[in-house]
Amino acid sequence: IPQILDMAGYKKIYIVKEQEKPDGNFSTVKSPNPEDKMALDIAVSLAGNKNADLVIGTDPDADRLGIVIRNLENNWYYLNGNQIMVILTEYLLNKLENNNKLGPNNFIASTIVSTPMILDLANAYGVDYKNCLTGFKWIAKLIEDSPKLKFIGGGEESFGYLVGDKIRDKDAISASLLACELASELQSIGKSIFEFLIECYKKYGLYVERLISITKGGKDGADQIISIMKKFRENPPKEIGGVTILKVDDYLLSETKYFKKNQKEKISLPKENVLIFTLEGNSRVSLRPSGTEPKIKFYFSVNSKYK
């Protein structure tokens, strides 16, 4: 990333010395994953000392990226994975539209547990939107299976993003360059990434999203995760927080069930142990066991129109 940014002409780049060289023990962080805010603590401290505007941190293999920006009070604001995806995609779509390079043969993509806001962007710009299961292998498959369509960009809530179709996995290097380009262009007109994010919320509606992961270790933990999913699948709640549930998407059974209509529809995506409850007002709660860790994950997405 430092080499790419230097080639692009960025000069005021400050590298965390303690994290500049490979360290297989990851001795400066609890977890070398930008999804964990603490992984960016040293970088944010350095940025404060240098009066910087933007902090970017990746995991060791540079596929996930975290971005920290200044808010309106000049305090640090940690973007979540959905927000990173939204601002980068909005920027790409806007640039292509302004250059008359956007059309229905373009598409963006995301995953079933990521923000529904990305669909709003696709509709606003008149491009196709493709939804897939969690994991970038599925976004790569969308690109492979759509040879007549041009992939613009897309990502997932777990801090992964891909610009264009040259690479078939989440790529923090091209995404970091794009983030710096966005920040630089906004700064040239007296704006910030935080203000750009607020403009997106004004345009598409306000979205607040959060992931809660519950660790259930060992065989007993694995059994508990199975039991939790079974309970929600066989005895789904009728409301959450006093808000009525309209439907549940069950990707293991490949069906959507509408509670009020008492109707079912088939889901065409491959089977996966995921439940997504959609509430009145289009808020969502999704449940999914982790594929790599002894965790069950709850994804919350609440939204309303900007007034």
Side-chain angles (χ1 to χ4, degrees):
I1 289 176
Q3 293 171 317
I4 291 293
L5 295 181
D6 182 65
M7 291 170 63
Y10 294 95
K11 301 305 178 185
K12 290 187 177 181
I13 303 170
Y14 305 100
I15 310 298
V16 175
K17 291 298 180 182
E18 301 94 319
Q19 298 172 334
E20 188 172 15
K21 295 182 180 180
D23 172 13
N25 294 318
F26 311 120
S27 53
T28 63
V29 294
K30 182 179 179 181
S31 170
N33 185 339
E35 292 180 273
D36 180 0
K37 289 183 179 180
M38 290 188 293
L40 301 173
D41 280 352
I42 302 177
V44 170
S45 178
L46 175 63
N49 293 334
K50 298 295 184 179
N51 196 30
D53 298 313
L54 179 67
V55 175
I56 293 178
T58 78
D59 55 1
D61 57 347
D63 57 4
R64 301 177 196 269
L65 82 156
I67 298 177
V68 190
I69 58 177
R70 300 275 190 178
N71 64 14
L72 299 180
E73 288 75 40
N74 205 40
N75 296 320
W76 292 115
Y77 182 85
Y78 291 71
L79 295 174
N80 62 41
N82 286 317
Q83 291 170 324
I84 292 170
M85 175 171 57
V86 165
I87 62 169
L88 295 183
T89 306
E90 171 72 10
Y91 181 59
L92 285 172
L93 292 170
N94 185 262
K95 295 291 284 187
L96 289 170
E97 183 179 66
N98 289 340
N99 291 315
N100 297 315
K101 294 182 178 180
L102 203 59
N105 62 323
N106 298 125
F107 81 97
I108 58 177
S110 188
T111 63
I112 57 175
V113 296
S114 299
T115 178
M117 188 176 178
I118 203 72
L119 175 59
D120 297 331
L121 273 69
N123 291 336
Y125 284 95
V127 299
D128 193 12
Y129 169 70
K130 295 187 180 296
N131 205 18
C132 62
L133 299 179
T134 304
F136 247 82
K137 65 180 182 180
W138 296 109
I139 292 181
K141 189 175 188 303
L142 290 176
I143 297 172
E144 186 71 20
D145 293 346
S146 309
K148 294 183 179 180
L149 298 179
K150 179 67 175 177
F151 176 71
I152 297 169
E156 56 186 359
E157 57 75 36
S158 56
F159 290 66
Y161 196 80
L162 175 61
V163 183
D165 59 3
K166 301 301 181 185
I167 297 172
R168 300 300 171 89
D169 197 357
K170 49 186 176 286
D171 175 36
I173 297 174
S174 58
S176 296
L177 178 60
L178 185 65
C180 289
E181 182 181 331
L182 171 60
S184 179
E185 186 170 311
L186 288 170
Q187 190 179 65
S188 72
I189 58 174
K191 290 187 176 182
S192 67
I193 289 182
F194 189 84
E195 290 171 310
F196 185 77
L197 175 63
I198 296 300
E199 288 175 0
C200 289
Y201 286 144
K202 289 180 177 180
K203 184 177 180 181
Y204 302 111
L206 299 168
Y207 283 77
V208 177
E209 283 146 338
R210 184 180 177 189
L211 166 65
I212 294 179
S213 295
I214 300 175
T215 300
K216 299 284 187 180
K219 184 181 184 304
D220 288 343
D223 291 340
Q224 289 179 46
I225 291 174
I226 292 172
S227 177
I228 291 170
M229 293 299 296
K230 186 173 186 288
K231 178 181 177 181
F232 275 98
R233 177 168 284 114
E234 295 180 354
N235 299 289
K238 297 296 185 290
E239 63 177 38
I240 297 176
V243 182
T244 301
I245 295 176
L246 299 179
K247 67 171 184 173
V248 58
D249 299 308
D250 189 331
Y251 287 85
L252 189 62
L253 300 181
S254 298
E255 68 178 24
T256 297
K257 182 177 181 180
Y258 296 88
F259 292 118
K260 285 187 177 181
K261 301 177 183 178
N262 196 26
Q263 294 178 346
K264 295 181 180 180
E265 289 182 357
K266 279 290 183 183
I267 294 175
S268 60
L269 293 177
K271 292 180 181 295
E272 186 167 291
N273 192 11
V274 179
L275 293 170
I276 300 179
F277 296 95
T278 301
L279 289 69
E280 285 184 342
N282 208 34
S283 294
R284 303 192 320 183
V285 179
S286 307
L287 287 72
R288 170 181 168 266
S290 171
T292 57
E293 300 173 291
K295 295 178 179 180
I296 183 167
K297 297 185 174 184
F298 294 80
Y299 305 80
F300 297 86
S301 177
V302 181
N303 75 90
S304 67
K305 294 300 179 184
Y306 176 79
K307 297 180 180 178

